[in-house]
Amino acid sequence: MHIPFVDLKAQYETLKDEMAEAIRDILDSAQFIGGEAVASFERDFAAYCQVRHARGVASGTDALHLALRALDIGHGDEVITTAHTFIATAAAIVATGARPVFVDIDPDTYTIDPKMIERALTGRTRAIVAVHLYGQPADMGPIKDIARRRGLYVLEDAAQAHGAEYQGVRTGALGDVACFSFYPAKNLGAYGDGGAVTTNSAAIAERIERLRDHGRTSHYSHAEIGFNSRLDTLQAAILQIKLRRLDEWNANRRRAAEWYAVELAQSGIKTPFVQKGSTHVYHLYVIETNERDAMRNKLDQAGVATGIHYPVPLHLQPALAHLGYRQGDLPYCEAMAARSLSLPMFPELARDQVRRIAAIARAAAEQDGHKKLRRKSTYSPAALRAEAGKEWR
Ligand SMILES: *Cc1c(COP(=O)(O)O)cnc(C)c1O
C-alpha cells in the first residue's frame, strides 16, 4: 500500500461542499481581483497571527521580495540569512539588488544560529531574514537583541510555520515584518499560489499594498514602479475557509509527530528537537541519518514517498556561485543536505501508517554503516569538517 508524502485530496474531501459554495459566490459576484473576500481574509489572517496588518500577495516568494523592498533594502545592502532553506529566501534578497550573507544553522533546531549572525555583521548589514524551518520558529529572542543593538530589521520567513509559537507569540508577530506562503502543500495552502505579509507597522502595510499593485496611489497615479502581485479573490475565499481549520490540522500534525517520536525512539535516528518555549507545527517531519540515501531507497521500495529538504544548501547552488562560497563554509547546512530525510507528514496521516513507515526506517537503521546521531553536545563543527571528505557527497 502506497503512502504519499502529502495527501491534499484527503483534506479536500472534508471541505468539498463549503468550497463549492464559496467558489460559486465569487463566480456569481464576478469580482476576481480584490474586493471584500480579500479584505476579509486579510483581517482574519492578521487576527490569527496576533498582528495589526496582513496583506495578501501572489506568493511567498513575492511576500519576501516586497517586504524587503518595503524596507528600502537594495543595492549595496547585505541581508543575513541561512543557507538551509528553500531558494526563494535568497532569491528574494537577490531580486532587490542586495547581497545574501549566509550563516550556519543550529544543528538541533536547524534554524539560523544567532551566534553565527554576530560574526557575519558588517557596516552594510541591513536586515536578518530568520526562516522558521520545517514549522519551528527560529530563536527570535537573541536574533531580535542583535537587531536592536545594531539597528537592523528582522524579517520572518514563515512560509513553513503558520500558527507556530515562540514564547507564546505567533509567527507573523515575531519580527518587523513576516512573510507567508499559501502554496498548496503548506500548512495553510490555497488552490494555487498565494502569500501574505504581516506587520504591526501601518506604514509597511501601506507600502506592501502599493508595491503589490503597480506602485499605485490611485488608479492612474504610480508613485513608484511596483509589481503585479495581488492575492486572487478566489484564493482569498478558499483560504478564509481553511484558516478556520488550521489549528485543528496543526494539532493533527503534532499528534503524528508524537507517534513518529515514539516509534523511532532508541533507533539511533535523530528525530526533531523542539526548543523550550516553542511550538512546532511540523510542516515537514525531518529526521537525520548518515545512511540517508539507503534509508530513502528502502522506504521507496516499500511504497513510502519521502522528500529531501534540501539536498543542496543555498551557498553551493549554481545560481548563487557568484557569492563565492565554497564547500566546507557552512558545515551544519552541508551536513543536513547529506543527512536529512523528510517522512510523510499531513494532518490526515494515520497511526498505522506512521507505524509502518517507522518500522521500515528502523530496519534500515539496523543495517551496517548506520551511526547513532546525537544532539549537538557531541557533534561539533570541527568533527563535521573532519568527516566531510568521507561522508558528504
Ligand atoms: C514555500 C517557501 C517559500 C516560497 O513560497 P512560494 O509561495 O512557493 O513562493 C519561501 N520560503 C520557504 C522557507 C518556503 O518553504
Side-chain angles (χ1 to χ4, degrees), residues 246-268:
L246 179 57
D247 283 339
E248 176 194 327
W249 290 329
N250 282 345
N252 288 353
R253 287 174 183 271
R254 271 196 290 274
R255 181 184 63 181
E258 280 164 28
W259 292 335
Y260 272 125
V262 168
E263 297 290 331
L264 295 174
Q266 321 301 331
S267 65

Side-chain angles (χ1 to χ4, degrees), residues 167-184:
Q167 296 175 2
V169 181
R170 283 249 164 101
T171 60
L174 288 165
D176 296 298
V177 51
C179 308
F180 289 88
S181 164
F182 304 128
Y183 179 80

Side-chain angles (χ1 to χ4, degrees), residues 30-330:
Q31 171 139 30
F32 300 114
I33 302 287
E36 182 46 31
V38 174
S40 162
F41 169 69
E42 288 175 341
R43 279 194 300 273
D44 286 4
F45 192 64
Y48 181 85
C49 297
Q50 305 167 343
V51 80
R52 271 190 219 114
H53 313 280
R55 292 294 180 270
V57 294
S59 69
T61 307
D62 283 4
L64 286 158
H65 178 207
L66 299 195
L68 288 160
R69 285 198 180 256
L71 301 172
D72 290 316
I73 287 166
H75 288 280
D77 296 332
E78 290 178 358
V79 178
I80 296 176
T81 192
T82 151
H84 184 56
T85 175
F86 183 54
I87 185 77
T89 313
I93 297 167
V94 172
T96 66
R99 179 187 178 86
V101 174
F102 296 119
V103 302
D104 217 342
I105 49 170
D106 175 281
D108 287 341
T109 61
Y110 310 131
T111 56
I112 194 165
D113 184 342
K115 291 188 297 298
M116 298 295 166
I117 295 176
E118 296 270 10
R119 294 191 208 167
L121 295 167
T122 73
R124 291 170 178 250
T125 311
R126 292 283 314 282
I128 301 163
V129 179
V131 183
H132 305 318
L133 199 75
Y134 303 153
Q136 166 153 244
D139 193 7
M140 296 302 281
I143 294 170
K144 280 160 80 170
D145 286 344
I146 297 167
R148 211 172 295 122
R149 260 188 284 120
R150 301 287 296 236
L152 310 175
Y153 292 113
V154 177
L155 293 90
E156 301 171 70
D157 182 341
Q160 303 189 355
H162 320 65
E165 290 180 9
Y166 179 85
Q167 296 175 2
V169 181
R170 283 249 164 101
T171 60
L174 288 165
D176 296 298
V177 51
C179 308
F180 289 88
S181 164
F182 304 128
Y183 179 80
K186 300 287 161 93
N187 289 38
L188 179 62
Y191 292 162
D193 280 309
V197 174
T198 62
T199 179
N200 276 315
S201 156
I204 293 173
E206 263 169 47
R207 189 77 187 282
I208 295 290
E209 228 167 274
R210 199 165 90 178
L211 284 166
R212 74 178 175 187
D213 192 24
H214 305 289
R216 264 192 185 117
T217 43
S218 68
H219 198 71
Y220 287 114
S221 175
H222 307 273
E224 63 182 318
I225 297 300
F227 303 87
N228 179 349
S229 182
R230 298 163 301 223
L231 176 66
D232 283 350
T233 311
L234 266 172
Q235 300 301 347
I238 288 159
L239 287 163
Q240 186 150 36
I241 291 169
K242 288 185 139 202
L243 181 59
R244 294 181 208 126
R245 311 283 282 277
L246 179 57
D247 283 339
E248 176 194 327
W249 290 329
N250 282 345
N252 288 353
R253 287 174 183 271
R254 271 196 290 274
R255 181 184 63 181
E258 280 164 28
W259 292 335
Y260 272 125
V262 168
E263 297 290 331
L264 295 174
Q266 321 301 331
S267 65
I269 296 168
K270 196 173 162 188
T271 54
F273 169 81
V274 184
Q275 186 170 353
K276 196 160 173 284
S278 292
T279 62
H280 199 313
V281 293
Y282 295 100
H283 170 58
L284 295 166
Y285 188 86
V286 178
I287 59 171
E288 209 184 323
T289 161
N290 68 313
E291 292 286 324
R292 190 266 312 280
D293 295 336
M295 188 177 286
R296 188 169 199 215
N297 281 338
K298 290 218 167 61
L299 286 159
D300 182 57
Q301 282 157 19
V304 177
T306 57
I308 298 174
H309 300 87
Y310 296 85
V312 182
L314 297 191
H315 68 294
L316 302 179
Q317 283 288 354
L320 297 168
H322 63 280
L323 297 174
Y325 290 93
R326 274 173 312 185
Q327 189 152 3
D329 284 346
L330 302 170

